[in-house]
Amino acid sequence: MIDVLIVDDDFRVAEINAKYVGKVPGFRVTARAHSAAQALATVERGAVDLVLLDHYLPDQTGLDLVHCMREQGHSTDVIMITAASDVTTVQQAMRLGALHYLVKPFTFAALQARLDSYAALRRTVDRVGGRGLTGQEQVDRIFGALRTSPAPSAPGLPSGHSEPTTDLICGVLHRACQPLSAHEVAARTGLSRSTAQRYLRHLEQVGRLRLSLKYGDTGRPEHRYAWVAP
């Protein structure tokens, strides 16, 4: 088993990421951390193969944490999972040795593809190293193990929609005692409001949700969504 440390300052997001990791064969979450200090202490205790790391942490950035880990001699592998998508941060992550960089919000399929390629990398390194092989062909095998291809959308879903995210939103609404707004759905799922709104609009259009309007004293009415029993 590959032991994973989830590092995210948002407790809900950390829990969602942990559930995603738990669905991928060969991986298990052994710890969660919500600050760089907690994460470093966990790595120092050992028994962590892979860190899924957010960049925006309350005490220092994720990249500062990786730099500190490397200075202290910790070679634990890192995959960045963050909303930071600027070129400078991505370049710094590459230079510090991050094996993958996944931008939030993401789908389960996207995370699974990166975890699967990471597992393939470990198998390839073990296989090549065990044979004592060297040369360009073996180097190409190691670097090639990290390649991923975009996961296609599930059948029947619009481009850019994923089945796990659809199931996540449907589950929240199915369990809700009253209609929910896009903001409330986003808060309960850990998705961004715009992503939740996009999925809610599609689910309402195909008849899986019922749309109602809540009028306040001022401004535009609030769109609220309720589960429609099949």
Side-chain angles (χ1 to χ4, degrees), residues 7 9 20 28 32 43 50 70 90 112 122 142 155 177 213 224:
V7 184
D9 65 322
Y20 278 177
R28 64 184 175 191
R32 298 172 181 78
V43 170
L50 174 66
R70 301 302 182 236
V90 175
Q112 182 180 26
R122 289 172 61 97
I142 293 173
C177 299
L213 301 179
R224 302 184 70 82

PDB file of all heavy atoms in Angstrom, residues 7 9 20 28 32 43 50 70 90 112 122 142 155 177 213 224:
ATOM      1  N   VAL A   7      -2.735  17.243   2.848  1.00  0.00           N
ATOM      2  CA  VAL A   7      -2.449  18.540   3.469  1.00  0.00           C
ATOM      3  C   VAL A   7      -3.334  19.604   2.825  1.00  0.00           C
ATOM      4  O   VAL A   7      -3.151  19.946   1.651  1.00  0.00           O
ATOM      5  CB  VAL A   7      -0.966  18.928   3.321  1.00  0.00           C
ATOM      6  CG1 VAL A   7      -0.682  20.241   4.069  1.00  0.00           C
ATOM      7  CG2 VAL A   7      -0.057  17.823   3.828  1.00  0.00           C
ATOM      8  N   ASP A   9      -5.799  23.212   4.251  1.00  0.00           N
ATOM      9  CA  ASP A   9      -6.273  23.973   5.413  1.00  0.00           C
ATOM     10  C   ASP A   9      -7.780  23.870   5.590  1.00  0.00           C
ATOM     11  O   ASP A   9      -8.298  24.118   6.677  1.00  0.00           O
ATOM     12  CB  ASP A   9      -5.856  25.443   5.311  1.00  0.00           C
ATOM     13  CG  ASP A   9      -6.520  26.150   4.138  1.00  0.00           C
ATOM     14  OD1 ASP A   9      -6.670  25.517   3.074  1.00  0.00           O
ATOM     15  OD2 ASP A   9      -6.892  27.332   4.276  1.00  0.00           O
ATOM     16  N   TYR A  20     -11.610  10.363  -1.946  1.00  0.00           N
ATOM     17  CA  TYR A  20     -11.178  10.066  -3.312  1.00  0.00           C
ATOM     18  C   TYR A  20      -9.993   9.095  -3.301  1.00  0.00           C
ATOM     19  O   TYR A  20      -9.979   8.103  -4.039  1.00  0.00           O
ATOM     20  CB  TYR A  20     -10.773  11.351  -4.027  1.00  0.00           C
ATOM     21  CG  TYR A  20     -11.915  12.144  -4.616  1.00  0.00           C
ATOM     22  CD1 TYR A  20     -11.677  13.370  -5.241  1.00  0.00           C
ATOM     23  CD2 TYR A  20     -13.222  11.689  -4.578  1.00  0.00           C
ATOM     24  CE1 TYR A  20     -12.712  14.106  -5.798  1.00  0.00           C
ATOM     25  CE2 TYR A  20     -14.262  12.414  -5.122  1.00  0.00           C
ATOM     26  CZ  TYR A  20     -13.998  13.633  -5.741  1.00  0.00           C
ATOM     27  OH  TYR A  20     -15.020  14.359  -6.294  1.00  0.00           O
ATOM     28  N   ARG A  28      -3.826   4.428   0.538  1.00  0.00           N
ATOM     29  CA  ARG A  28      -4.578   4.642   1.767  1.00  0.00           C
ATOM     30  C   ARG A  28      -4.096   5.932   2.427  1.00  0.00           C
ATOM     31  O   ARG A  28      -2.900   6.262   2.389  1.00  0.00           O
ATOM     32  CB  ARG A  28      -4.410   3.470   2.732  1.00  0.00           C
ATOM     33  CG  ARG A  28      -2.985   3.266   3.243  1.00  0.00           C
ATOM     34  CD  ARG A  28      -2.878   2.030   4.108  1.00  0.00           C
ATOM     35  NE  ARG A  28      -1.489   1.777   4.501  1.00  0.00           N
ATOM     36  CZ  ARG A  28      -1.075   0.657   5.076  1.00  0.00           C
ATOM     37  NH1 ARG A  28      -1.939  -0.326   5.306  1.00  0.00           N
ATOM     38  NH2 ARG A  28       0.196   0.495   5.413  1.00  0.00           N
ATOM     39  N   ARG A  32      -3.866  13.329   8.021  1.00  0.00           N
ATOM     40  CA  ARG A  32      -4.296  14.596   7.449  1.00  0.00           C
ATOM     41  C   ARG A  32      -3.617  15.712   8.216  1.00  0.00           C
ATOM     42  O   ARG A  32      -3.414  15.604   9.423  1.00  0.00           O
ATOM     43  CB  ARG A  32      -5.812  14.767   7.531  1.00  0.00           C
ATOM     44  CG  ARG A  32      -6.621  13.728   6.774  1.00  0.00           C
ATOM     45  CD  ARG A  32      -8.104  13.898   7.088  1.00  0.00           C
ATOM     46  NE  ARG A  32      -8.961  12.923   6.427  1.00  0.00           N
ATOM     47  CZ  ARG A  32      -9.129  11.663   6.825  1.00  0.00           C
ATOM     48  NH1 ARG A  32      -8.486  11.223   7.898  1.00  0.00           N
ATOM     49  NH2 ARG A  32      -9.934  10.855   6.170  1.00  0.00           N
ATOM     50  N   VAL A  43       5.588  14.148   8.413  1.00  0.00           N
ATOM     51  CA  VAL A  43       6.632  13.598   7.544  1.00  0.00           C
ATOM     52  C   VAL A  43       7.833  13.166   8.373  1.00  0.00           C
ATOM     53  O   VAL A  43       8.448  12.122   8.101  1.00  0.00           O
ATOM     54  CB  VAL A  43       7.046  14.651   6.489  1.00  0.00           C
ATOM     55  CG1 VAL A  43       8.292  14.201   5.730  1.00  0.00           C
ATOM     56  CG2 VAL A  43       5.907  14.895   5.504  1.00  0.00           C
ATOM     57  N   LEU A  50       3.645   9.557   0.045  1.00  0.00           N
ATOM     58  CA  LEU A  50       3.202  10.591  -0.876  1.00  0.00           C
ATOM     59  C   LEU A  50       2.427  11.666  -0.132  1.00  0.00           C
ATOM     60  O   LEU A  50       1.574  11.352   0.706  1.00  0.00           O
ATOM     61  CB  LEU A  50       2.308   9.971  -1.961  1.00  0.00           C
ATOM     62  CG  LEU A  50       1.634  10.918  -2.953  1.00  0.00           C
ATOM     63  CD1 LEU A  50       2.675  11.613  -3.828  1.00  0.00           C
ATOM     64  CD2 LEU A  50       0.634  10.155  -3.817  1.00  0.00           C
ATOM     65  N   ARG A  70      12.988  19.226   1.757  1.00  0.00           N
ATOM     66  CA  ARG A  70      14.192  18.856   1.015  1.00  0.00           C
ATOM     67  C   ARG A  70      15.451  19.268   1.774  1.00  0.00           C
ATOM     68  O   ARG A  70      16.438  18.537   1.794  1.00  0.00           O
ATOM     69  CB  ARG A  70      14.169  19.502  -0.373  1.00  0.00           C
ATOM     70  CG  ARG A  70      12.967  19.111  -1.241  1.00  0.00           C
ATOM     71  CD  ARG A  70      12.869  17.620  -1.447  1.00  0.00           C
ATOM     72  NE  ARG A  70      11.751  17.250  -2.310  1.00  0.00           N
ATOM     73  CZ  ARG A  70      10.781  16.414  -1.977  1.00  0.00           C
ATOM     74  NH1 ARG A  70      10.787  15.855  -0.774  1.00  0.00           N
ATOM     75  NH2 ARG A  70       9.817  16.114  -2.808  1.00  0.00           N
ATOM     76  N   VAL A  90       3.781  27.187 -10.537  1.00  0.00           N
ATOM     77  CA  VAL A  90       3.936  25.900 -11.228  1.00  0.00           C
ATOM     78  C   VAL A  90       5.413  25.609 -11.493  1.00  0.00           C
ATOM     79  O   VAL A  90       5.891  24.487 -11.270  1.00  0.00           O
ATOM     80  CB  VAL A  90       3.135  25.896 -12.539  1.00  0.00           C
ATOM     81  CG1 VAL A  90       3.400  24.605 -13.324  1.00  0.00           C
ATOM     82  CG2 VAL A  90       1.638  26.024 -12.264  1.00  0.00           C
ATOM     83  N   GLN A 112      -7.431  10.310  -9.864  1.00  0.00           N
ATOM     84  CA  GLN A 112      -7.118   8.891 -10.029  1.00  0.00           C
ATOM     85  C   GLN A 112      -6.056   8.683 -11.103  1.00  0.00           C
ATOM     86  O   GLN A 112      -5.155   7.845 -10.938  1.00  0.00           O
ATOM     87  CB  GLN A 112      -8.380   8.115 -10.391  1.00  0.00           C
ATOM     88  CG  GLN A 112      -8.145   6.611 -10.524  1.00  0.00           C
ATOM     89  CD  GLN A 112      -9.415   5.852 -10.874  1.00  0.00           C
ATOM     90  OE1 GLN A 112     -10.327   6.404 -11.473  1.00  0.00           O
ATOM     91  NE2 GLN A 112      -9.488   4.595 -10.474  1.00  0.00           N
ATOM     92  N   ARG A 122       6.398   4.056  -9.378  1.00  0.00           N
ATOM     93  CA  ARG A 122       7.042   3.267  -8.317  1.00  0.00           C
ATOM     94  C   ARG A 122       7.321   1.843  -8.786  1.00  0.00           C
ATOM     95  O   ARG A 122       8.392   1.282  -8.505  1.00  0.00           O
ATOM     96  CB  ARG A 122       6.156   3.268  -7.073  1.00  0.00           C
ATOM     97  CG  ARG A 122       6.117   4.615  -6.360  1.00  0.00           C
ATOM     98  CD  ARG A 122       5.073   4.609  -5.261  1.00  0.00           C
ATOM     99  NE  ARG A 122       5.348   3.623  -4.241  1.00  0.00           N
ATOM    100  CZ  ARG A 122       5.962   3.887  -3.076  1.00  0.00           C
ATOM    101  NH1 ARG A 122       6.368   5.125  -2.824  1.00  0.00           N
ATOM    102  NH2 ARG A 122       6.156   2.939  -2.182  1.00  0.00           N
ATOM    103  N   ILE A 142      11.101   5.168 -16.945  1.00  0.00           N
ATOM    104  CA  ILE A 142      10.831   5.833 -15.669  1.00  0.00           C
ATOM    105  C   ILE A 142      10.080   7.137 -15.895  1.00  0.00           C
ATOM    106  O   ILE A 142       9.056   7.403 -15.263  1.00  0.00           O
ATOM    107  CB  ILE A 142      12.141   6.082 -14.907  1.00  0.00           C
ATOM    108  CG1 ILE A 142      12.747   4.742 -14.474  1.00  0.00           C
ATOM    109  CG2 ILE A 142      11.898   6.976 -13.693  1.00  0.00           C
ATOM    110  CD1 ILE A 142      14.136   4.866 -13.859  1.00  0.00           C
ATOM    111  N   PRO A 155     -20.348   8.868 -20.198  1.00  0.00           N
ATOM    112  CA  PRO A 155     -21.382   8.903 -21.224  1.00  0.00           C
ATOM    113  C   PRO A 155     -22.632   9.608 -20.716  1.00  0.00           C
ATOM    114  O   PRO A 155     -23.070   9.405 -19.583  1.00  0.00           O
ATOM    115  CB  PRO A 155     -21.649   7.411 -21.480  1.00  0.00           C
ATOM    116  CG  PRO A 155     -20.406   6.707 -21.049  1.00  0.00           C
ATOM    117  CD  PRO A 155     -19.871   7.515 -19.903  1.00  0.00           C
ATOM    118  N   CYS A 177     -32.792  18.175   3.696  1.00  0.00           N
ATOM    119  CA  CYS A 177     -34.190  18.228   4.146  1.00  0.00           C
ATOM    120  C   CYS A 177     -34.976  19.337   3.459  1.00  0.00           C
ATOM    121  O   CYS A 177     -36.206  19.404   3.589  1.00  0.00           O
ATOM    122  CB  CYS A 177     -34.238  18.437   5.665  1.00  0.00           C
ATOM    123  SG  CYS A 177     -33.443  17.122   6.606  1.00  0.00           S
ATOM    124  N   LEU A 213     -37.615  29.332  -6.819  1.00  0.00           N
ATOM    125  CA  LEU A 213     -37.053  30.666  -6.575  1.00  0.00           C
ATOM    126  C   LEU A 213     -37.446  31.146  -5.191  1.00  0.00           C
ATOM    127  O   LEU A 213     -38.601  31.033  -4.789  1.00  0.00           O
ATOM    128  CB  LEU A 213     -37.542  31.657  -7.632  1.00  0.00           C
ATOM    129  CG  LEU A 213     -37.203  31.322  -9.091  1.00  0.00           C
ATOM    130  CD1 LEU A 213     -37.783  32.372 -10.019  1.00  0.00           C
ATOM    131  CD2 LEU A 213     -35.695  31.219  -9.278  1.00  0.00           C
ATOM    132  N   ARG A 224     -32.918  27.853  -5.929  1.00  0.00           N
ATOM    133  CA  ARG A 224     -32.756  26.757  -4.980  1.00  0.00           C
ATOM    134  C   ARG A 224     -33.153  25.448  -5.660  1.00  0.00           C
ATOM    135  O   ARG A 224     -34.087  25.409  -6.454  1.00  0.00           O
ATOM    136  CB  ARG A 224     -33.592  27.008  -3.704  1.00  0.00           C
ATOM    137  CG  ARG A 224     -33.232  28.307  -3.006  1.00  0.00           C
ATOM    138  CD  ARG A 224     -33.977  28.483  -1.716  1.00  0.00           C
ATOM    139  NE  ARG A 224     -33.535  27.541  -0.689  1.00  0.00           N
ATOM    140  CZ  ARG A 224     -32.463  27.704   0.089  1.00  0.00           C
ATOM    141  NH1 ARG A 224     -31.720  28.776  -0.070  1.00  0.00           N
ATOM    142  NH2 ARG A 224     -32.147  26.815   1.002  1.00  0.00           N
TER     143      ARG A 224
END
